[in-house]
């Protein structure tokens, strides 16, 4: 007969995934101890949020130990989700920069052959529109009576 202690949840972070395991210790009939590790689930490190199925597995694996649940969540947020969100934002920003470059090249090609004064007038109108849009996007002063 073996005596088994309640398992504790642990994470393994590989280069590509986040894996959840349950670690248990057993006392064998002959008195020797053995440890076991059971795989519970995983999700890719590219994820920017914890998948619901993994979240449910994590809650179940840490049931009765809210401090362990919180510690594992903080580790996932700090080492996986935060960096993944940053990578995603950087990729989106690079894609927007590329789109602007392509649009500018297209615009330069489109204006070739147009008279310089027409280009100047069109460019001035475009710059005015861009500045107006930028002013609308900037946050204004706090509303009267509001506290920060």
């Amino acid at each position: 007969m073996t005596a088994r202690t309640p398992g504790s949840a642990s994470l393994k972070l590989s280069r590509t995934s986040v894996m959840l395991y349950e670690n248990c210790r057993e006392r064998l009939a002959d008195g020797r101890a053995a440890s076991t590790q059971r795989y519970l689930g995983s999700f890719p490190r590219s994820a920017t949020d914890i998948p619901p199925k993994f979240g449910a597995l994590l809650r179940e694996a840490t049931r009765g130990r809210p401090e362990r649940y919180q510690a594992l969540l903080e580790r996932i947020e700090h080492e996986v989700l935060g960096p993944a969100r940053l990578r995603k934002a950087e990729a989106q920003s690079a894609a927007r920069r590329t789109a602007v470059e392509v649009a500018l090249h297209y615009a330069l090609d489109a204006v070739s052959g147009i008279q310089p004064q027409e280009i100047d007038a069109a460019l001035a109108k475009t710059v005015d529109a861009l500045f107006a849009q930028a002013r609308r996007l900037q946050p204004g002063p706090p509303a009267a009576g509001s506290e920060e």
Side-chain angles (χ1 to χ4, degrees):
M1 181 172 170
T2 64
R4 185 175 178 176
T5 60
S8 66
S10 66
L11 293 175
K12 286 191 179 179
L13 306 179
S14 75
R15 190 177 58 78
T16 60
S17 63
V18 177
M19 296 162 282
L20 179 62
Y21 288 89
E22 177 187 43
N23 305 298
C24 296
R25 293 191 55 78
E26 296 182 42
R27 179 68 58 187
L28 302 175
D30 63 3
R32 291 180 299 146
S35 61
T36 60
Q37 189 172 63
R38 185 170 62 108
Y39 170 82
L40 300 175
S42 64
F43 69 94
R45 285 190 81 136
S46 60
T48 56
D49 291 305
I50 296 174
K53 184 177 177 184
F54 187 90
L57 289 169
L58 181 60
R59 281 189 298 282
E60 180 62 28
T62 56
R63 188 173 3 131
R65 294 207 227 72
E67 68 287 341
R68 182 66 179 151
Y69 176 76
Q70 193 59 42
L72 293 176
L73 271 185
E74 288 174 9
R75 183 173 179 210
I76 291 169
E77 178 64 37
H78 178 72
E79 296 183 38
V80 179
L81 302 179
R85 289 177 187 132
L86 183 60
R87 285 190 304 272
K88 183 178 178 181
E90 288 170 348
Q92 288 173 336
S93 179
R96 284 191 301 272
R97 279 192 305 275
T98 300
V100 167
E101 287 175 16
V102 168
L104 289 173
H105 285 295
Y106 174 79
L108 287 173
D109 287 344
V111 297
S112 63
I114 299 176
Q115 296 301 318
Q117 56 273 35
E118 292 177 55
I119 294 174
D120 290 345
L123 187 56
K125 188 175 177 181
T126 302
V127 168
D128 288 342
L130 285 172
F131 280 131
Q133 180 68 21
R135 282 191 293 276
R136 283 193 295 274
L137 294 176
Q138 290 178 352
S146 69
E147 296 180 27
E148 289 189 36

